[in-house]
Amino acid sequence: MLNIVSNIYEKLAVIRRKLYYKGILKQKKFPVPVISIGNLSVGGTGKTPLTIFTAKKLQEKGYRVCVLSRGYRRKSRGTVVVSDGNSIFVPWEEAGDEPYLMAKNNIPVVVSHSRYEAGIKALNSFPVDVFLLDDGFQHFQLYRDLDILVVDATKPFWEDKPLPAGRLREPAEFYRYADVIVVNRLNRAKNPEKVLEFLKNSEKQLFISEEKIENITDLKKNKNINFLKGKEVGAFSGLGNNGQFFQTVKDLSHKIGFTVSQFISFPDHYSYKKLNLPKKQLWLTTEKDIIKISQKQIEKDNIFALKYSLNLPEDFVQYLENIINAERLKKD
């Protein structure tokens, strides 16, 4: 039964994309370049860390960047300016957890069900040189100058099926619509050589990221990751892929030398209005999770978040700059 529903879902996804690419349904355009960062599957490929990395690197190069996001599961309605890069104007509940985390990194963010309306709001609120379209691979209403597809090497999309039998939003072969592929977690893949072989044969511009975890934070202060050495630690998260975070904690426990006594899994985008943790010496979670927990509870339960980030080669940033500058010349 699931396979039948998946076949129907797949055909509808094919029709939807073709309607836009053939111009039957029109795409709206902005006067500044738009770079989409998305994926083929639901949950947990590393889009948010890549968006933060890309935004901050472009900011360092002098570009005024703004992220446009849906703001999944936010409690606000309409179009909301989360941050102008200097100030955050709404709590995480009204922004959505991922846009709020981006805003905490001093990145301008606007959320709306319509990314076009979000962009218009941004252009009328502060200067913008380039938009980053968060989770935009299936958001066809807005024209993109560059499509970046994020791939989790531990879960190759070409081995998966469309929803609901699998986790794919579109057929696996739709990776061909991407301009750039960024591979995350290659070092954790069971067969990294086969992953690279497939992606290199795609003839897409390919970049491989590296994970960086050097610190933990309780939102008031950062500590070096070696603070965990010799301690008993519990871990919890509410992500699209909790297993990835738990594996990260396990790997760190071997590397740093601490004991993991318990893992607690919450649903994706969990609000943490009720959090009753068993008493442990220390708890680890993610930055996406800890921003939703009160400072009082963080201090009571001794909760820290791993400061997780991605790093990509300078060639990646240079590639984006070349695209941005070329598109700006066209639009001028």
Side-chain angles (χ1 to χ4, degrees), residues 50-317:
L50 178 60
T51 302
I52 292 172
F53 171 86
T54 304
K56 293 179 77 66
K57 283 296 181 180
L58 290 176
Q59 286 177 330
E60 290 174 10
K61 297 289 185 178
Y63 297 96
R64 294 170 295 189
V65 181
C66 177
V67 173
L68 306 179
S69 177
R70 177 185 172 188
Y72 184 63
R73 290 195 180 179
R74 63 190 171 101
K75 293 186 177 180
S76 60
R77 293 185 177 183
T79 302
V80 178
V81 178
V82 178
S83 171
D84 61 0
N86 297 310
S87 302
I88 298 177
F89 303 115
V90 296
W92 76 264
E93 292 93 340
E94 295 181 29
D97 50 15
E98 290 169 351
Y100 190 82
L101 180 57
M102 296 175 200
K104 290 281 285 182
N105 281 271
N106 303 114
I107 300 167
V109 181
V110 182
V111 297
S112 180
H113 180 72
S114 166
R115 252 57 75 85
Y116 180 73
E117 291 181 9
I120 293 298
K121 182 74 172 179
L123 290 169
N124 290 331
S125 301
F126 41 78
V128 179
D129 294 322
V130 57
F131 284 119
L132 296 184
L133 185 58
D134 173 46
D135 197 12
F137 198 63
Q138 290 80 28
H139 189 79
F140 310 119
Q141 294 92 333
L142 187 60
Y143 177 83
R144 292 81 65 118
D145 298 284
L146 188 74
D147 261 310
I148 299 174
L149 184 68
V150 187
V151 175
D152 180 353
T154 67
K155 295 187 175 181
F157 63 82
W158 54 93
E159 297 176 359
D160 206 346
K161 296 180 180 180
L163 293 164
R167 297 174 60 85
L168 296 184
R169 299 169 174 177
E170 293 184 292
E173 62 267 23
F174 275 18
Y175 74 87
R176 67 179 185 269
Y177 290 107
D179 302 298
V180 174
I181 293 178
V182 172
V183 187
N184 290 337
R185 303 171 183 138
L186 184 64
N187 62 314
R188 301 191 197 180
K190 292 181 180 178
N191 297 297
E193 298 83 7
K194 289 186 178 180
V195 171
L196 281 182
E197 181 182 3
F198 178 92
L199 294 175
K200 286 179 179 178
N201 288 337
S202 73
E203 298 183 350
K204 300 294 181 181
Q205 186 70 42
L206 183 65
F207 296 98
I208 301 169
S209 73
E210 293 181 357
E211 296 176 308
K212 289 176 60 179
I213 305 175
E214 298 174 348
N215 296 292
I216 59 175
T217 182
D218 63 359
L219 297 184
K220 281 191 171 182
K221 59 185 179 299
N222 294 341
K223 293 180 180 289
N224 185 275
I225 192 73
N226 289 316
F227 171 77
L228 300 174
K229 187 173 183 177
K231 292 182 170 57
E232 180 185 356
V233 173
F236 67 92
S237 63
L239 307 172
N241 189 346
N242 288 321
Q244 286 288 358
F245 173 65
F246 295 157
Q247 187 60 51
T248 297
V249 174
K250 288 179 183 178
D251 293 343
L252 283 172
S253 71
H254 299 312
K255 180 180 178 181
I256 305 299
F258 60 88
T259 303
V260 185
S261 56
Q262 187 173 4
F263 293 105
I264 301 178
S265 184
F266 293 100
D268 193 16
H269 300 280
Y270 189 67
S271 67
Y272 294 104
K273 294 300 182 183
K274 295 181 180 179
L275 179 61
N276 297 310
L277 294 172
K279 294 299 179 184
K280 299 290 177 186
Q281 182 178 356
L282 186 147
W283 286 94
L284 283 180
T285 190
T286 74
E287 287 185 277
K288 177 181 165 182
D289 291 292
I290 201 171
I291 60 173
K292 296 180 283 186
I293 303 171
S294 71
Q295 194 65 45
K296 183 178 179 181
Q297 178 136 26
I298 289 172
E299 294 172 359
K300 177 179 77 71
D301 288 322
N302 206 14
I303 300 170
F304 288 87
L306 295 181
K307 293 282 290 181
Y308 175 92
S309 63
L310 293 179
N311 189 45
L312 280 96
E314 185 61 30
D315 288 353
F316 173 76
V317 182

Side-chain angles (χ1 to χ4, degrees), residues 311-330:
N311 189 45
L312 280 96
E314 185 61 30
D315 288 353
F316 173 76
V317 182
Q318 185 61 59
Y319 182 87
L320 297 186
E321 278 199 276
N322 292 341
I323 296 295
I324 292 169
N325 293 333
E327 293 302 326
R328 289 168 77 179
L329 286 174
K330 290 181 187 177

Side-chain angles (χ1 to χ4, degrees), residues 16-52:
R16 181 168 178 260
R17 188 176 277 271
K18 284 186 176 180
L19 287 173
Y20 279 100
Y21 275 73
K22 290 186 176 182
I24 298 171
L25 296 178
K26 301 298 182 183
Q27 291 183 307
K28 297 179 180 179
K29 294 186 178 183
F30 286 132
V32 300
V34 176
I35 298 174
S36 166
I37 299 175
N39 62 9
L40 280 171
S41 61
V42 293
T45 59
K47 294 187 308 296
T48 299
L50 178 60
T51 302
I52 292 172

